[in-house]
Each structure stands twice: as structure tokens, then as C-alpha cells.
Amino acid sequence: MSDKQSKKQEQLERFTADDRDKDMTTNHGTKLSEDEFSLKAGERGPTLMEDFHFREKITHFDHERIPERAVHARGFSAHGEFELYESLEEYTSADFLTDTSKKTPVFTRFSTVAGSKGSADLARDVRGFATKFYTDEGNFDLVGNNIPVFFIQDAIKFPDLVHAVKPEPHNGMPQAASAHDTFWDFIANNQESAHMIMWAMSPRAIPRSLRMMEGFGVHTFRLVNKEGKAHFVKFHWKPKLGVHSLVWDEAQKVNGKNPDFHRADLYEAIENGDYVEYELGFQIIKEEDEHSFDFDILDPTKVWPEEEVPVKIVGKMTLNRNVDNVFAENEQVAFHPGHVVPGIDFSNDPLLQGRLFSYTDTQLTRLGGPNFHEIPINRPVCPFFNNQRDGMHRMTINRGQSSYHNNSLADNHPRTVPPEEGGFEHYQEKVDGNKVRKRSESFKDHFSQAILFWNSMSDHEKGHIKDAISFELGKCQQTSVREQVVDMLSNISIDLASYVADNLGLAAPQDQAENITKSSPALSMADTIETPETRKVAVLLAEGFNGKEVQGVLDGIDKAGADAEIFSTKLGKIKADNGDTVEADHTFLTGDSVLFDAVYVVGGPNLDKAYKDKAKYFTKEAYMHFKPIGATHDGKAWLEEEEMTNQPGVITSDDLESFGEDFIKAVAAHRFFDREMA
Ligand code: HDD
């Protein structure tokens, strides 16, 4: 974290309370002498109404919960800062995008969409990626997802989409899962979802870490410069650690072993000083080129292929501070795609236009009234004044006699500000049309980009998608739903549709998918950044292990920025053959293979069969999830016994130095899907 507190942190500081070393009082300040027993008429008698302490404590508790978000209920957040690499004044007048000397405080909340607040992190789902920039000109909220397109083209269909994916109303199942009839019935009968469903069934929907996924503003926005000239823009976040995912079997197990897997990963990375970095990128299209593409740039079910419209990297966000209080910050933060600052404006994307209504509206129920902007996490760092007054939970004590505009009593203050001095002015787009409830002709192609996405996938991503759809439809009860989806898939790929049909015992589809061969390599995760940094390596060793040699490998893991955690027969100190000790972090009871990126198997003398079996099972599971595995000493023999050697990403060697290097390289590579093919 920067040594100087950010403006936002200073502001939040004024609202924080630290009750260490403090006396206990009621909310009204009366000191309390007792907090364990209610006031009773006699030791065994009834509680008395006059017990104000009891009444206050229970009343507060009775009202501790607020409605969870209608979608994106389960989320986790962190504070940070945004730095700009170069002035973008050619495109925008926004000061945080033109002044490179500024560090703009940010607050980012990641979320799953469908599950309740208490659901598990590794649901197969889209991830929300919402960032509040506390700029000196007001808050700018970039409320995006980790997938660059959306299921629907018009916001009026959002309640239908959400009703379809949420637990079914007659039995309240399933929780945090799209693998059920109503969701797939919606998909098959709303074919604009074809492109997004391909992303949602791809590995992107089960990220390895919130730190290892991209973010997208999804919609087309506008950047407007000082001269009033506008460009269309799409926003991107690119993680410095690359884009990585888990496999489905692993994800489901992680949900049981550690439902907080993603939030713990983010929290611990920040606590360890491994600050989380994403670069901000812009795709920019000139206004005059609006109609130069084979898709409508206002259609939120379309990407702008990066090969056609390159992503210009403009700055970096670093998340470097955990929240102090999950309710006060993560729960009470209120994002809104309509929170813009001068220099950023909207496009006519009908999904975006509808969102501009929904987000303030939902906070009225969720946060209990119109003053949620006064909650510390939501306050801008710049001053804010207007004539809005009163309402539930008003905190500000507005002085003065007048609360209207125009006035003479306060010399017309608070005054509006002309655009040249920083007042927001809407981009003066000429709009002329008949009032119609219609989909534009240019929004009617639902399959070209679904095919583009499919064509761009590596073999293992294609395999993942095939199995994901087979899983999801396999969980659907209605044959008619399965059939309709297979029919829909045949518009994307006959290979995909036939595979799924075969898995479901359905007839192979007849229709041919359109013959589109175009692909966009940027859509695949296959060529992403590879690094061992912050990867978690499970090291299996026991008393009497070769201390000198193993320490060398552990040092190498540490030097590479990865994190080795020791599994042994018991917690506490484990003695090596040279008398050195290491501290065991886990036993097979407290830790699990699915919670690690790689396994290094060492073993030790005098281990009983039960222990060896567990160690082999642990390693085999990592092997089945295509993870890097290294083995030296006794570990090598275990791998041989289980026929795991001579496979991609399985490193064994007697030369400890080359072993260390090869193992770290394997850890950086993340997964070895060739093993799947072998
Ligand atoms: Fe939304 C929350 C992202 C379409 C209505 N949305 C919400 C959050 C994210 C998104 C990240 C969680 C914010 C947080 O962490 O507090 N939503 C999107 C994206 C969309 C999208 C990327 C399409 C491109 N959303 C969308 C539509 C509507 C909504 C079309 C309604 C017309 N979204 C909401 C909401 C939520 C919300 C009900 C629930 C909680 C909240 O707003 O504050 O208003």
C-alpha cells in the first residue's frame, strides 16, 4: 500500500470505531455493569420490561439483517488505487483519466450472480467485477462482469432471466446453480443468449482466483473530450497474473472443502502483501465508424474482437487493503452504472439504458431509503451539495434557510456549474425515431459470435464446454428442454450438439451450423500469462525426510514467489534427517488436494500403509485435475506405484537442482491438459 493514506481511507477513518480498551455502554452512552443476565423479578423469576439494556440489545439484533442483493448477493471486496499510465485527453475530459500524477482510490467488489449470500464461491456462474473510482470529480462506477457479453439485449428481460436462473419457485432448488430446467428453458427460448451461454459454460465460469480473471464493462460507453468530441469505448480489466480456471470436478469439491475459497484467496493475498493488479484497457471506436462492423456495436451480446479493435492499456488498479468490516463496506456499497463523471457518457445500448434505472431503485429497498449515498463507503471524496433533504437515515445536518433552486436567500447556492468549469453535460447525440417496442434488425444475429467464440477455443476449452453443457442438461428433468437446447447448439457447432446429444441419449441433430470459420485468439485462455507467483504448493513430507535436499527445493519455491504449505502426519514441528525442523501447516484432515495448485511429494521413512494411501490419494486427485506434480525421495516410488510418472507436468528427477527449476516451470504452467488426452 502507498505510505500516504488515500483520500478515501482518510474519509473512512473518520467513521471507524475501535472498541479495544473501551467501556461498554448502551447506544445512548450509559455505562453498563452487567451483560450476561437479564433483569428479573427474583433469581428464578420473569424478565422485567424495564430492562432497557436487554430491550436495546435484542431489538438491535432482531434488525441486524438487510435484504441481500437481488443478484450478486455473495461478494467480497477490497480497497486499492488506480494509476493512469498516460493522459487520455484526446478522448476524455475526466480528470482521473487525464492527470497521470493522480492516484485515484478505488473499491472493488467481486461476486457470483445467482447464489444467495451464504452460497459457495465456486458455483459455475458469471463473476461480477464492480469498481468504484472515488475521483475528485465524483464517483465513477464500472459495474462489469468477468464475461464480456450478456444473456439478453434489452433490460426489460432481466427479471425473466433472473427468475429462470434462481432456485425454482415451487421447491427453492437448486442453490447457486444454473443446472436446472427453468434456466435452460429460458436459454432455448431466448436465443439471444447463445453467445453468453458459451462463455458461461467455458472455464471462465469457475475461475481459479478472483485475482486471475478478466473484467469487462460489457456495454459500449462514450468517452467525451474537452472539445465535446466523442468516441465509443468498451472497458477491460486484464489481470497481471493471467486468466486461469479450475476444472469442474475440482470446483464442486472446493465448494464443500472451503466454500470461502475465492474470498479467502483474495483476503490472504492482500494480507501477505501480494497486492492484486489489473490493467485497465480501452477498446475505442470512432463515432464515424459506428456502422463499419459486421455486428451492431450497441448490442451487448457482441464482443469487439480484439484483433479488429485492439485493447489500449491505459492504467493499473492495485488492490492493497482488505475491508475493516464486511457489512459496513462489502454489504453496504451501492454500485450503479449510472454513476459517471464528466468525460464519460452512455450509449444507447438498451441493456445499459435499463440498468440506469434499476441500481438506485434496488438500493431503496436494500439499504432502506434514499440516503444510502451518505453511508461512508458510498460517499464521494469530493464535496457534494444539492437541495435534496430529509428521508430515512439522513446524516447530514444541512444548515441554512433555503433548500430549493432558484433562490435569492442564499445567492442561488448551491449553484450549478457550467460545463467549461466541470459541470456534467450529456453528450448531445441527435436522436430521432418513432416510439416502438422492437428489437433492431441489427440485433437479430444471435449465432455468428457464438460460433466465433467456439472456433477460438483450444481443444481443452472445447472439451470443458461440451462436458459442462452435458452436465447441466443432464441435471434438467424435462426431455423437451434438453432437446430444445441441443437444437439451439446445432446452430453453433454440430460437433458440440452431437456430443451433448449423445451424452443425453438424444438423436443427433440434423441441421448444420452456419459455416463460419472466423476466430479470435484473444477469446481463448490458452495463451494467457504464466507465472508461479502466489501459487499454492502442497508439500507432503514426514519425520526423517531428507532435510538438506528438500530445504533447497522449498527455498526455490519461495524464491519463485509461490507458497509452500507442509502436510504431514501431525501439526507442529517435523524433524528432518539432519536435525532441522519444518512446521507442518496441515494434516490430511485439515487440508485437501483441491485447495492447492500443485503437489510436491517427498514422503519419509517409517510411514504406515494408511498414511501412504492417503498421500497417494491426495496426489492422484491433483493428477486427475491436471495439476503439476513433483516427486523426490520416497515420493518418486509412490508415483511409480500409482502409474503417474512420465506424464506431462509430472516432474521427477534425482538431480535436485534441475528438479527445482522444472517443477517451478510446471507450477507456472498451471495445468497440463495434455494429460487428459494421454
Ligand atoms: Fe446488474 C447488481 C453487473 C445487467 C440489475 N450487476 C450487479 C452487480 C454487478 C452487476 C457486478 C453487483 C454490484 C455489487 O457488487 O454490489 N448487471 C451487471 C452486468 C450487467 C448487468 C455486467 C449486464 C451487462 N443488472 C443488469 C440489468 C439489470 C441489473 C439489465 C436490471 C435491469 N444488478 C441489477 C440490480 C443489482 C445488480 C438488481 C443487484 C444489487 C444491486 O444492483 O445493487 O439492480
Side-chain angles (χ1 to χ4, degrees), residues 520-642:
S520 165
L523 301 180
S524 168
M525 296 165 49
D527 293 325
T528 191
I529 298 166
E530 294 185 350
T531 166
E533 276 172 46
T534 75
R535 293 300 182 158
K536 287 181 78 172
V537 182
V539 182
L540 315 189
L541 51 73
E543 290 275 332
F545 69 94
N546 185 314
K548 185 161 173 280
E549 293 183 359
V550 171
Q551 192 57 52
V553 178
L554 295 183
D555 289 347
I557 294 173
D558 187 49
K559 217 167 122 204
D563 178 23
E565 292 184 22
I566 311 285
F567 278 73
S568 196
T569 46
K570 56 178 187 206
L571 297 180
K573 298 226 178 311
I574 307 296
K575 229 184 193 163
D577 58 358
N578 59 356
D580 287 353
T581 56
V582 293
E583 189 80 21
D585 305 290
H586 305 278
T587 65
F588 293 134
L589 271 180
T590 63
D592 198 277
S593 170
V594 295
L595 306 175
F596 288 82
D597 293 298
V599 187
Y600 170 36
V601 200
V602 182
N606 311 323
L607 284 167
D608 62 20
K609 181 171 179 312
Y611 185 86
K612 275 192 208 165
D613 284 349
K614 281 185 196 152
K616 285 180 186 172
Y617 180 78
F618 187 103
T619 311
K620 190 80 181 200
E621 193 163 36
Y623 178 87
M624 300 291 286
H625 296 145
F626 317 110
K627 292 177 184 174
I629 294 171
T632 59
H633 308 95
D634 305 276
K636 261 172 51 185
W638 297 357
L639 256 56
E640 272 155 24
E641 281 159 36
E642 293 298 310

Side-chain angles (χ1 to χ4, degrees), residues 341 417 664:
V341 292
V417 181
I664 292 298

Side-chain angles (χ1 to χ4, degrees), residues 455-471:
N455 290 346
S456 313
M457 295 291 98
S458 62
D459 284 348
H460 103 261
E461 286 166 308
K462 282 187 176 167
H464 185 116
I465 295 170
K466 285 174 172 175
D467 286 340
I469 300 180
S470 302
F471 171 91

Side-chain angles (χ1 to χ4, degrees), residues 68-72 75 109-111 127-130 142-145 147 149-150 152 154-156 158-159 216-219 300 330-331 333-337 349 351-352 354-363 366:
E68 65 175 32
R69 288 168 173 82
V71 280
H72 298 267
R109 183 175 184 273
F110 302 101
S111 46
R127 296 298 181 289
F129 191 138
L142 183 51
V143 196
N145 282 337
I147 289 180
V149 287
F150 204 62
I152 48 171
D154 192 315
I156 199 166
F158 191 67
F216 303 92
V218 181
H219 307 287
N330 180 67
E331 275 318 291
V333 66
F335 289 97
H336 188 344
D349 169 350
L351 190 69
L352 171 60
R355 289 180 77 194
L356 298 180
F357 168 72
S358 187
Y359 287 70
T360 302
D361 187 47
T362 199
Q363 316 306 347
R366 202 171 71 78

Side-chain angles (χ1 to χ4, degrees), residues 257-309:
K257 294 285 182 180
N258 183 3
D260 301 318
F261 184 79
H262 276 157
R263 53 179 56 201
D265 169 270
L266 179 66
Y267 184 86
E268 282 163 16
I270 293 176
E271 289 299 295
N272 291 340
D274 293 324
Y275 297 149
V276 189
E277 297 176 325
Y278 309 83
E279 288 191 306
L280 182 67
F282 287 0
Q283 278 181 300
I284 293 173
I285 291 181
K286 290 185 179 152
E287 288 261 320
E288 51 272 31
D289 293 337
E290 181 175 356
H291 302 292
S292 314
F293 297 86
D294 58 4
F295 50 86
D296 191 327
I297 67 162
L298 300 186
D299 178 353
T301 66
K302 302 292 185 294
V303 292
W304 301 353
E306 291 185 27
E307 295 76 12
E308 288 173 54
V309 187

